[in-house]
Amino acid sequence: MNNFRFIEEKIAKVLMLFSVLVVSGFVFSVIYTIFRRGLPVLTWSMISQLPGGGFYIGQDGGFLNAIIGSVYIVGASTVIGLSVSIPVVFYLNVYLKRNSRFGYLSRLAFDVLFGIPSIVYGAFGFTIMIYMGLRASLLGGIIVETLLIIPIMIRTMDEVAKTIPTDLLESSYSLGATRIETIGVVMRQIAPAIATATLLSIGRSIGDAAGVMFTAGFSDNIPTSLSQPAATLPLSVFFQLSAPQVAVQNRAYAAAVVLTFIVLVLSLAGRFITAHFSKNKV
Amino acid sequence: MNYRLIKDKVAGQLMAVLTVSALLLVVAMGIGLYLKSAPILSQHSLWTLLTASDWQPMKGKFGFFPFLMGTLSVTTLAIAIALPISLLMAIYLTEYARKVFRKCLFPLLDVLAGLPSVIYGVWGTLLIVPLIAEWLLPHFPAYTSGYTVLAGGVVLSVMILPLLVSLFIELLSSIPAELREASLSLGATRWQTVRLVLLRKSAPGLLAAVVLAVSRTMGETIAVLMVCGNLAIVPTSLLNACYPLPALIANNYGEMLSLPLYEAALMFAAFILFFVVLLFNLASRIVLRQVSR
């Protein structure tokens, strides 16, 4: 008579295993589909060459412009992002008291900023650029991507910085260090988090298309100054895919493979770092 | 000695300024987008903009209703697909699975969370859209294209799965073990414990997590742009094409500078997104913080 609850338990277990299978299936399906379609058409010249004359009707050339453009934008925004977010995390955790109102409010604000879609960042960045008289350019792309990744960085590092024991800070103070001089101790504690935050932000900004669409524009050349438009990998995939020629579409799929590969490496490296480099942690 | 104290103070103040300016970014975004969309708000009332379904920018007709319905339909569908899967998976990982198994699955979730929107879009056009076109459309002759609400919903649901799973896992593992033990010791099965104790205990948090996922789904741009068909109609079935708000903004940025009112209309679309996402995020984050305390 009471068997029903055991049957229920069985059914639930089957359903749960099924859902795990579905999710894993999705992961492999996405990666398999992208690689299956893109890998056979990927050639070295696509990665190493700029778009040629008849590029958009399917003639020779590659998407080196997009790779370099992405590297410029991601590299610059990561450096700027880190140099803004490390001080903010330090301030939130060392200068402010644990239950400070201001700390609560700013953490909430970063959570909210984290949730705002990149298309809105793009639109906002675009209005600022028009206001300042800028055109779609490398600089615009860097600004928007920086704004986009700062909340990610701060949230990731703050999660770890929050767990630093107060005793540790106090022992530093008791040796006569000021709060700013305690930064070495804090940095040592959050070093793995800085690495994960960097990888996360690189992954997010290299894959972001909606933010740079308005602000960085697109160009067949490698930008030589901040005021020139720059191509990016996701936009290169997107634009080439909407072309009618199969040869151009093939290049889009090849670019998608490159992008997927980069992101795969980044996310696996992130896991590895969190797992293996938390040695100095108290 | 004094120099060191001054350095400490100055550094603190500089960092405070950085933190405050990050705070102000939220405010600046809202104000900036609102000012940019002011021209269209002065010509049409908010109510007409939101409920009219005529979209002919060149004739000065800006009805956002099809786009709002487009966003609403793909978002609802995506949550409806992702919610049961992610909840079951999170329960399995926290309550049933062994540690080794968990360690193998987390990297998969990382990958799923890390893949860019455009890759999901390519996946959708390569796999989901043809699947719908070949398997489903022959049974429904009234519809002609695989680029549909259904395709958008499926792609979006996969994209929000990792977010939902990780939020659910966090919520479930914050419940004290004593509660589980109490329930088990009374003779309840594990699933009864989950259903009657854990899910009830974490209900507000679960709701907040879903709201958070909804706001994430609404803002996804490139993937939906690639698989939804982008027709400015009010979708009435899963096999209709639709045109969500972010896709509208992304698709028209090139031509919007031709008409001042057109630009204002697109910025208004961005403002709607910003406003809704802001509200949803604030509400759910505050609840989640209360829960985790």
Side-chain angles (χ1 to χ4, degrees), chain B residues 93-113:
Chain B
L93 288 181
T94 46
E95 307 300 322
Y96 288 81
R98 288 171 193 213
K99 223 178 166 188
V100 187
F101 194 60
R102 235 181 294 172
K103 273 204 165 158
C104 295
L105 276 173
F106 280 146
L108 284 186
L109 288 174
D110 279 354
V111 168
L112 212 53

mmCIF file with all atom_site columns, all heavy atoms in Angstrom, chain B residues 93-113:
data_model
loop_
_atom_site.group_PDB
_atom_site.id
_atom_site.type_symbol
_atom_site.label_atom_id
_atom_site.label_alt_id
_atom_site.label_comp_id
_atom_site.label_asym_id
_atom_site.label_entity_id
_atom_site.label_seq_id
_atom_site.pdbx_PDB_ins_code
_atom_site.Cartn_x
_atom_site.Cartn_y
_atom_site.Cartn_z
_atom_site.occupancy
_atom_site.B_iso_or_equiv
_atom_site.pdbx_formal_charge
_atom_site.auth_seq_id
_atom_site.auth_comp_id
_atom_site.auth_asym_id
_atom_site.auth_atom_id
_atom_site.pdbx_PDB_model_num
ATOM 1   N N   . LEU B 1 93  ? 22.215 16.624 -8.832  1.00 0.00 ? 93  LEU B N   1
ATOM 2   C CA  . LEU B 1 93  ? 23.627 16.898 -8.503  1.00 0.00 ? 93  LEU B CA  1
ATOM 3   C C   . LEU B 1 93  ? 23.824 17.167 -7.018  1.00 0.00 ? 93  LEU B C   1
ATOM 4   O O   . LEU B 1 93  ? 24.846 16.797 -6.450  1.00 0.00 ? 93  LEU B O   1
ATOM 5   C CB  . LEU B 1 93  ? 24.141 18.082 -9.327  1.00 0.00 ? 93  LEU B CB  1
ATOM 6   C CG  . LEU B 1 93  ? 24.363 17.802 -10.804 1.00 0.00 ? 93  LEU B CG  1
ATOM 7   C CD1 . LEU B 1 93  ? 24.898 19.019 -11.514 1.00 0.00 ? 93  LEU B CD1 1
ATOM 8   C CD2 . LEU B 1 93  ? 25.323 16.636 -10.985 1.00 0.00 ? 93  LEU B CD2 1
ATOM 9   N N   . THR B 1 94  ? 22.843 17.826 -6.363  1.00 0.00 ? 94  THR B N   1
ATOM 10  C CA  . THR B 1 94  ? 23.059 18.133 -4.941  1.00 0.00 ? 94  THR B CA  1
ATOM 11  C C   . THR B 1 94  ? 22.630 16.989 -4.033  1.00 0.00 ? 94  THR B C   1
ATOM 12  O O   . THR B 1 94  ? 23.251 16.752 -3.008  1.00 0.00 ? 94  THR B O   1
ATOM 13  C CB  . THR B 1 94  ? 22.289 19.398 -4.508  1.00 0.00 ? 94  THR B CB  1
ATOM 14  O OG1 . THR B 1 94  ? 20.973 19.320 -5.023  1.00 0.00 ? 94  THR B OG1 1
ATOM 15  C CG2 . THR B 1 94  ? 22.966 20.653 -4.989  1.00 0.00 ? 94  THR B CG2 1
ATOM 16  N N   . GLU B 1 95  ? 21.571 16.267 -4.388  1.00 0.00 ? 95  GLU B N   1
ATOM 17  C CA  . GLU B 1 95  ? 21.000 15.301 -3.456  1.00 0.00 ? 95  GLU B CA  1
ATOM 18  C C   . GLU B 1 95  ? 21.389 13.857 -3.750  1.00 0.00 ? 95  GLU B C   1
ATOM 19  O O   . GLU B 1 95  ? 21.397 13.024 -2.861  1.00 0.00 ? 95  GLU B O   1
ATOM 20  C CB  . GLU B 1 95  ? 19.467 15.409 -3.457  1.00 0.00 ? 95  GLU B CB  1
ATOM 21  C CG  . GLU B 1 95  ? 18.935 16.806 -3.217  1.00 0.00 ? 95  GLU B CG  1
ATOM 22  C CD  . GLU B 1 95  ? 19.376 17.367 -1.881  1.00 0.00 ? 95  GLU B CD  1
ATOM 23  O OE1 . GLU B 1 95  ? 19.436 16.613 -0.913  1.00 0.00 ? 95  GLU B OE1 1
ATOM 24  O OE2 . GLU B 1 95  ? 19.691 18.577 -1.832  1.00 0.00 ? 95  GLU B OE2 1
ATOM 25  N N   . TYR B 1 96  ? 21.638 13.528 -4.994  1.00 0.00 ? 96  TYR B N   1
ATOM 26  C CA  . TYR B 1 96  ? 21.824 12.127 -5.339  1.00 0.00 ? 96  TYR B CA  1
ATOM 27  C C   . TYR B 1 96  ? 23.242 11.791 -5.808  1.00 0.00 ? 96  TYR B C   1
ATOM 28  O O   . TYR B 1 96  ? 23.789 10.771 -5.425  1.00 0.00 ? 96  TYR B O   1
ATOM 29  C CB  . TYR B 1 96  ? 20.844 11.719 -6.445  1.00 0.00 ? 96  TYR B CB  1
ATOM 30  C CG  . TYR B 1 96  ? 19.414 11.617 -5.992  1.00 0.00 ? 96  TYR B CG  1
ATOM 31  C CD1 . TYR B 1 96  ? 18.614 12.750 -5.881  1.00 0.00 ? 96  TYR B CD1 1
ATOM 32  C CD2 . TYR B 1 96  ? 18.853 10.389 -5.682  1.00 0.00 ? 96  TYR B CD2 1
ATOM 33  C CE1 . TYR B 1 96  ? 17.307 12.664 -5.460  1.00 0.00 ? 96  TYR B CE1 1
ATOM 34  C CE2 . TYR B 1 96  ? 17.532 10.294 -5.269  1.00 0.00 ? 96  TYR B CE2 1
ATOM 35  C CZ  . TYR B 1 96  ? 16.769 11.429 -5.161  1.00 0.00 ? 96  TYR B CZ  1
ATOM 36  O OH  . TYR B 1 96  ? 15.481 11.337 -4.757  1.00 0.00 ? 96  TYR B OH  1
ATOM 37  N N   . ALA B 1 97  ? 23.802 12.639 -6.656  1.00 0.00 ? 97  ALA B N   1
ATOM 38  C CA  . ALA B 1 97  ? 25.012 12.245 -7.389  1.00 0.00 ? 97  ALA B CA  1
ATOM 39  C C   . ALA B 1 97  ? 26.221 12.105 -6.479  1.00 0.00 ? 97  ALA B C   1
ATOM 40  O O   . ALA B 1 97  ? 26.319 12.756 -5.442  1.00 0.00 ? 97  ALA B O   1
ATOM 41  C CB  . ALA B 1 97  ? 25.302 13.265 -8.483  1.00 0.00 ? 97  ALA B CB  1
ATOM 42  N N   . ARG B 1 98  ? 27.152 11.228 -6.899  1.00 0.00 ? 98  ARG B N   1
ATOM 43  C CA  . ARG B 1 98  ? 28.410 11.137 -6.176  1.00 0.00 ? 98  ARG B CA  1
ATOM 44  C C   . ARG B 1 98  ? 29.304 12.288 -6.573  1.00 0.00 ? 98  ARG B C   1
ATOM 45  O O   . ARG B 1 98  ? 29.127 12.918 -7.598  1.00 0.00 ? 98  ARG B O   1
ATOM 46  C CB  . ARG B 1 98  ? 29.116 9.834  -6.551  1.00 0.00 ? 98  ARG B CB  1
ATOM 47  C CG  . ARG B 1 98  ? 28.445 8.652  -5.955  1.00 0.00 ? 98  ARG B CG  1
ATOM 48  C CD  . ARG B 1 98  ? 29.061 7.425  -6.549  1.00 0.00 ? 98  ARG B CD  1
ATOM 49  N NE  . ARG B 1 98  ? 28.218 6.292  -6.213  1.00 0.00 ? 98  ARG B NE  1
ATOM 50  C CZ  . ARG B 1 98  ? 28.695 5.085  -5.997  1.00 0.00 ? 98  ARG B CZ  1
ATOM 51  N NH1 . ARG B 1 98  ? 29.983 4.887  -6.102  1.00 0.00 ? 98  ARG B NH1 1
ATOM 52  N NH2 . ARG B 1 98  ? 27.895 4.104  -5.698  1.00 0.00 ? 98  ARG B NH2 1
ATOM 53  N N   . LYS B 1 99  ? 30.323 12.502 -5.747  1.00 0.00 ? 99  LYS B N   1
ATOM 54  C CA  . LYS B 1 99  ? 31.218 13.629 -5.960  1.00 0.00 ? 99  LYS B CA  1
ATOM 55  C C   . LYS B 1 99  ? 31.945 13.539 -7.303  1.00 0.00 ? 99  LYS B C   1
ATOM 56  O O   . LYS B 1 99  ? 32.100 14.545 -7.995  1.00 0.00 ? 99  LYS B O   1
ATOM 57  C CB  . LYS B 1 99  ? 32.233 13.690 -4.824  1.00 0.00 ? 99  LYS B CB  1
ATOM 58  C CG  . LYS B 1 99  ? 32.433 15.109 -4.354  1.00 0.00 ? 99  LYS B CG  1
ATOM 59  C CD  . LYS B 1 99  ? 33.396 15.186 -3.211  1.00 0.00 ? 99  LYS B CD  1
ATOM 60  C CE  . LYS B 1 99  ? 33.800 16.636 -3.020  1.00 0.00 ? 99  LYS B CE  1
ATOM 61  N NZ  . LYS B 1 99  ? 34.861 16.776 -2.049  1.00 0.00 ? 99  LYS B NZ  1
ATOM 62  N N   . VAL B 1 100 ? 32.360 12.324 -7.657  1.00 0.00 ? 100 VAL B N   1
ATOM 63  C CA  . VAL B 1 100 ? 33.105 12.137 -8.908  1.00 0.00 ? 100 VAL B CA  1
ATOM 64  C C   . VAL B 1 100 ? 32.245 12.554 -10.093 1.00 0.00 ? 100 VAL B C   1
ATOM 65  O O   . VAL B 1 100 ? 32.687 13.279 -10.988 1.00 0.00 ? 100 VAL B O   1
ATOM 66  C CB  . VAL B 1 100 ? 33.495 10.653 -9.073  1.00 0.00 ? 100 VAL B CB  1
ATOM 67  C CG1 . VAL B 1 100 ? 34.412 10.499 -10.267 1.00 0.00 ? 100 VAL B CG1 1
ATOM 68  C CG2 . VAL B 1 100 ? 34.147 10.144 -7.812  1.00 0.00 ? 100 VAL B CG2 1
ATOM 69  N N   . PHE B 1 101 ? 30.993 12.109 -10.049 1.00 0.00 ? 101 PHE B N   1
ATOM 70  C CA  . PHE B 1 101 ? 30.057 12.411 -11.111 1.00 0.00 ? 101 PHE B CA  1
ATOM 71  C C   . PHE B 1 101 ? 29.861 13.920 -11.237 1.00 0.00 ? 101 PHE B C   1
ATOM 72  O O   . PHE B 1 101 ? 29.863 14.486 -12.322 1.00 0.00 ? 101 PHE B O   1
ATOM 73  C CB  . PHE B 1 101 ? 28.737 11.717 -10.777 1.00 0.00 ? 101 PHE B CB  1
ATOM 74  C CG  . PHE B 1 101 ? 27.789 11.669 -11.931 1.00 0.00 ? 101 PHE B CG  1
ATOM 75  C CD1 . PHE B 1 101 ? 28.143 11.037 -13.108 1.00 0.00 ? 101 PHE B CD1 1
ATOM 76  C CD2 . PHE B 1 101 ? 26.532 12.249 -11.839 1.00 0.00 ? 101 PHE B CD2 1
ATOM 77  C CE1 . PHE B 1 101 ? 27.270 10.975 -14.168 1.00 0.00 ? 101 PHE B CE1 1
ATOM 78  C CE2 . PHE B 1 101 ? 25.659 12.202 -12.903 1.00 0.00 ? 101 PHE B CE2 1
ATOM 79  C CZ  . PHE B 1 101 ? 26.035 11.558 -14.062 1.00 0.00 ? 101 PHE B CZ  1
ATOM 80  N N   . ARG B 1 102 ? 29.728 14.558 -10.077 1.00 0.00 ? 102 ARG B N   1
ATOM 81  C CA  . ARG B 1 102 ? 29.544 16.003 -10.063 1.00 0.00 ? 102 ARG B CA  1
ATOM 82  C C   . ARG B 1 102 ? 30.738 16.707 -10.702 1.00 0.00 ? 102 ARG B C   1
ATOM 83  O O   . ARG B 1 102 ? 30.594 17.636 -11.469 1.00 0.00 ? 102 ARG B O   1
ATOM 84  C CB  . ARG B 1 102 ? 29.398 16.469 -8.614  1.00 0.00 ? 102 ARG B CB  1
ATOM 85  C CG  . ARG B 1 102 ? 28.142 17.253 -8.378  1.00 0.00 ? 102 ARG B CG  1
ATOM 86  C CD  . ARG B 1 102 ? 28.053 17.711 -6.957  1.00 0.00 ? 102 ARG B CD  1
ATOM 87  N NE  . ARG B 1 102 ? 27.914 16.605 -6.031  1.00 0.00 ? 102 ARG B NE  1
ATOM 88  C CZ  . ARG B 1 102 ? 27.971 16.778 -4.707  1.00 0.00 ? 102 ARG B CZ  1
ATOM 89  N NH1 . ARG B 1 102 ? 28.192 17.968 -4.202  1.00 0.00 ? 102 ARG B NH1 1
ATOM 90  N NH2 . ARG B 1 102 ? 27.821 15.758 -3.904  1.00 0.00 ? 102 ARG B NH2 1
ATOM 91  N N   . LYS B 1 103 ? 31.925 16.219 -10.359 1.00 0.00 ? 103 LYS B N   1
ATOM 92  C CA  . LYS B 1 103 ? 33.153 16.833 -10.879 1.00 0.00 ? 103 LYS B CA  1
ATOM 93  C C   . LYS B 1 103 ? 33.245 16.714 -12.382 1.00 0.00 ? 103 LYS B C   1
ATOM 94  O O   . LYS B 1 103 ? 33.859 17.543 -13.041 1.00 0.00 ? 103 LYS B O   1
ATOM 95  C CB  . LYS B 1 103 ? 34.379 16.194 -10.224 1.00 0.00 ? 103 LYS B CB  1
ATOM 96  C CG  . LYS B 1 103 ? 34.734 16.852 -8.931  1.00 0.00 ? 103 LYS B CG  1
ATOM 97  C CD  . LYS B 1 103 ? 36.203 16.639 -8.597  1.00 0.00 ? 103 LYS B CD  1
ATOM 98  C CE  . LYS B 1 103 ? 36.640 17.585 -7.514  1.00 0.00 ? 103 LYS B CE  1
ATOM 99  N NZ  . LYS B 1 103 ? 37.825 17.088 -6.808  1.00 0.00 ? 103 LYS B NZ  1
ATOM 100 N N   . CYS B 1 104 ? 32.647 15.638 -12.934 1.00 0.00 ? 104 CYS B N   1
ATOM 101 C CA  . CYS B 1 104 ? 32.673 15.475 -14.381 1.00 0.00 ? 104 CYS B CA  1
ATOM 102 C C   . CYS B 1 104 ? 31.669 16.395 -15.060 1.00 0.00 ? 104 CYS B C   1
ATOM 103 O O   . CYS B 1 104 ? 31.869 16.822 -16.191 1.00 0.00 ? 104 CYS B O   1
ATOM 104 C CB  . CYS B 1 104 ? 32.332 14.044 -14.769 1.00 0.00 ? 104 CYS B CB  1
ATOM 105 S SG  . CYS B 1 104 ? 33.524 12.865 -14.208 1.00 0.00 ? 104 CYS B SG  1
ATOM 106 N N   . LEU B 1 105 ? 30.565 16.693 -14.354 1.00 0.00 ? 105 LEU B N   1
ATOM 107 C CA  . LEU B 1 105 ? 29.501 17.460 -15.011 1.00 0.00 ? 105 LEU B CA  1
ATOM 108 C C   . LEU B 1 105 ? 29.722 18.965 -14.978 1.00 0.00 ? 105 LEU B C   1
ATOM 109 O O   . LEU B 1 105 ? 29.285 19.683 -15.860 1.00 0.00 ? 105 LEU B O   1
ATOM 110 C CB  . LEU B 1 105 ? 28.150 17.115 -14.370 1.00 0.00 ? 105 LEU B CB  1
ATOM 111 C CG  . LEU B 1 105 ? 27.518 15.859 -14.946 1.00 0.00 ? 105 LEU B CG  1
ATOM 112 C CD1 . LEU B 1 105 ? 26.297 15.470 -14.165 1.00 0.00 ? 105 LEU B CD1 1
ATOM 113 C CD2 . LEU B 1 105 ? 27.149 16.075 -16.409 1.00 0.00 ? 105 LEU B CD2 1
ATOM 114 N N   . PHE B 1 106 ? 30.422 19.436 -13.934 1.00 0.00 ? 106 PHE B N   1
ATOM 115 C CA  . PHE B 1 106 ? 30.608 20.880 -13.832 1.00 0.00 ? 106 PHE B CA  1
ATOM 116 C C   . PHE B 1 106 ? 31.336 21.494 -15.032 1.00 0.00 ? 106 PHE B C   1
ATOM 117 O O   . PHE B 1 106 ? 30.927 22.543 -15.529 1.00 0.00 ? 106 PHE B O   1
ATOM 118 C CB  . PHE B 1 106 ? 31.308 21.241 -12.524 1.00 0.00 ? 106 PHE B CB  1
ATOM 119 C CG  . PHE B 1 106 ? 30.364 21.262 -11.355 1.00 0.00 ? 106 PHE B CG  1
ATOM 120 C CD1 . PHE B 1 106 ? 30.782 20.883 -10.094 1.00 0.00 ? 106 PHE B CD1 1
ATOM 121 C CD2 . PHE B 1 106 ? 29.055 21.666 -11.520 1.00 0.00 ? 106 PHE B CD2 1
ATOM 122 C CE1 . PHE B 1 106 ? 29.906 20.895 -9.020  1.00 0.00 ? 106 PHE B CE1 1
ATOM 123 C CE2 . PHE B 1 106 ? 28.166 21.682 -10.458 1.00 0.00 ? 106 PHE B CE2 1
ATOM 124 C CZ  . PHE B 1 106 ? 28.592 21.297 -9.210  1.00 0.00 ? 106 PHE B CZ  1
ATOM 125 N N   . PRO B 1 107 ? 32.422 20.835 -15.536 1.00 0.00 ? 107 PRO B N   1
ATOM 126 C CA  . PRO B 1 107 ? 33.062 21.409 -16.729 1.00 0.00 ? 107 PRO B CA  1
ATOM 127 C C   . PRO B 1 107 ? 32.111 21.511 -17.911 1.00 0.00 ? 107 PRO B C   1
ATOM 128 O O   . PRO B 1 107 ? 32.178 22.483 -18.681 1.00 0.00 ? 107 PRO B O   1
ATOM 129 C CB  . PRO B 1 107 ? 34.198 20.424 -17.024 1.00 0.00 ? 107 PRO B CB  1
ATOM 130 C CG  . PRO B 1 107 ? 34.491 19.788 -15.733 1.00 0.00 ? 107 PRO B CG  1
ATOM 131 C CD  . PRO B 1 107 ? 33.194 19.703 -15.001 1.00 0.00 ? 107 PRO B CD  1
ATOM 132 N N   . LEU B 1 108 ? 31.190 20.550 -18.042 1.00 0.00 ? 108 LEU B N   1
ATOM 133 C CA  . LEU B 1 108 ? 30.228 20.619 -19.136 1.00 0.00 ? 108 LEU B CA  1
ATOM 134 C C   . LEU B 1 108 ? 29.359 21.866 -19.008 1.00 0.00 ? 108 LEU B C   1
ATOM 135 O O   . LEU B 1 108 ? 29.089 22.569 -19.980 1.00 0.00 ? 108 LEU B O   1
ATOM 136 C CB  . LEU B 1 108 ? 29.325 19.379 -19.133 1.00 0.00 ? 108 LEU B CB  1
ATOM 137 C CG  . LEU B 1 108 ? 29.925 18.084 -19.655 1.00 0.00 ? 108 LEU B CG  1
ATOM 138 C CD1 . LEU B 1 108 ? 28.864 17.007 -19.721 1.00 0.00 ? 108 LEU B CD1 1
ATOM 139 C CD2 . LEU B 1 108 ? 30.526 18.302 -21.026 1.00 0.00 ? 108 LEU B CD2 1
ATOM 140 N N   . LEU B 1 109 ? 28.931 22.131 -17.759 1.00 0.00 ? 109 LEU B N   1
ATOM 141 C CA  . LEU B 1 109 ? 28.110 23.329 -17.539 1.00 0.00 ? 109 LEU B CA  1
ATOM 142 C C   . LEU B 1 109 ? 28.920 24.586 -17.828 1.00 0.00 ? 109 LEU B C   1
ATOM 143 O O   . LEU B 1 109 ? 28.401 25.560 -18.375 1.00 0.00 ? 109 LEU B O   1
ATOM 144 C CB  . LEU B 1 109 ? 27.594 23.354 -16.102 1.00 0.00 ? 109 LEU B CB  1
ATOM 145 C CG  . LEU B 1 109 ? 26.508 22.331 -15.782 1.00 0.00 ? 109 LEU B CG  1
ATOM 146 C CD1 . LEU B 1 109 ? 26.186 22.349 -14.306 1.00 0.00 ? 109 LEU B CD1 1
ATOM 147 C CD2 . LEU B 1 109 ? 25.264 22.613 -16.598 1.00 0.00 ? 109 LEU B CD2 1
ATOM 148 N N   . ASP B 1 110 ? 30.215 24.557 -17.455 1.00 0.00 ? 110 ASP B N   1
ATOM 149 C CA  . ASP B 1 110 ? 31.094 25.701 -17.751 1.00 0.00 ? 110 ASP B CA  1
ATOM 150 C C   . ASP B 1 110 ? 31.135 25.985 -19.240 1.00 0.00 ? 110 ASP B C   1
ATOM 151 O O   . ASP B 1 110 ? 31.028 27.126 -19.679 1.00 0.00 ? 110 ASP B O   1
ATOM 152 C CB  . ASP B 1 110 ? 32.528 25.389 -17.299 1.00 0.00 ? 110 ASP B CB  1
ATOM 153 C CG  . ASP B 1 110 ? 32.704 25.611 -15.823 1.00 0.00 ? 110 ASP B CG  1
ATOM 154 O OD1 . ASP B 1 110 ? 31.751 26.112 -15.210 1.00 0.00 ? 110 ASP B OD1 1
ATOM 155 O OD2 . ASP B 1 110 ? 33.777 25.282 -15.294 1.00 0.00 ? 110 ASP B OD2 1
ATOM 156 N N   . VAL B 1 111 ? 31.293 24.902 -20.005 1.00 0.00 ? 111 VAL B N   1
ATOM 157 C CA  . VAL B 1 111 ? 31.370 25.059 -21.457 1.00 0.00 ? 111 VAL B CA  1
ATOM 158 C C   . VAL B 1 111 ? 30.074 25.650 -21.987 1.00 0.00 ? 111 VAL B C   1
ATOM 159 O O   . VAL B 1 111 ? 30.063 26.601 -22.767 1.00 0.00 ? 111 VAL B O   1
ATOM 160 C CB  . VAL B 1 111 ? 31.661 23.700 -22.129 1.00 0.00 ? 111 VAL B CB  1
ATOM 161 C CG1 . VAL B 1 111 ? 31.446 23.780 -23.621 1.00 0.00 ? 111 VAL B CG1 1
ATOM 162 C CG2 . VAL B 1 111 ? 33.071 23.252 -21.824 1.00 0.00 ? 111 VAL B CG2 1
ATOM 163 N N   . LEU B 1 112 ? 28.955 25.094 -21.499 1.00 0.00 ? 112 LEU B N   1
ATOM 164 C CA  . LEU B 1 112 ? 27.653 25.567 -21.957 1.00 0.00 ? 112 LEU B CA  1
ATOM 165 C C   . LEU B 1 112 ? 27.469 27.052 -21.623 1.00 0.00 ? 112 LEU B C   1
ATOM 166 O O   . LEU B 1 112 ? 26.918 27.820 -22.410 1.00 0.00 ? 112 LEU B O   1
ATOM 167 C CB  . LEU B 1 112 ? 26.553 24.737 -21.280 1.00 0.00 ? 112 LEU B CB  1
ATOM 168 C CG  . LEU B 1 112 ? 25.270 24.489 -22.055 1.00 0.00 ? 112 LEU B CG  1
ATOM 169 C CD1 . LEU B 1 112 ? 25.584 23.902 -23.408 1.00 0.00 ? 112 LEU B CD1 1
ATOM 170 C CD2 . LEU B 1 112 ? 24.359 23.559 -21.291 1.00 0.00 ? 112 LEU B CD2 1
ATOM 171 N N   . ALA B 1 113 ? 27.959 27.448 -20.434 1.00 0.00 ? 113 ALA B N   1
ATOM 172 C CA  . ALA B 1 113 ? 27.816 28.850 -20.030 1.00 0.00 ? 113 ALA B CA  1
ATOM 173 C C   . ALA B 1 113 ? 28.764 29.740 -20.802 1.00 0.00 ? 113 ALA B C   1
ATOM 174 O O   . ALA B 1 113 ? 28.483 30.914 -21.020 1.00 0.00 ? 113 ALA B O   1
ATOM 175 C CB  . ALA B 1 113 ? 28.071 28.981 -18.532 1.00 0.00 ? 113 ALA B CB  1
#
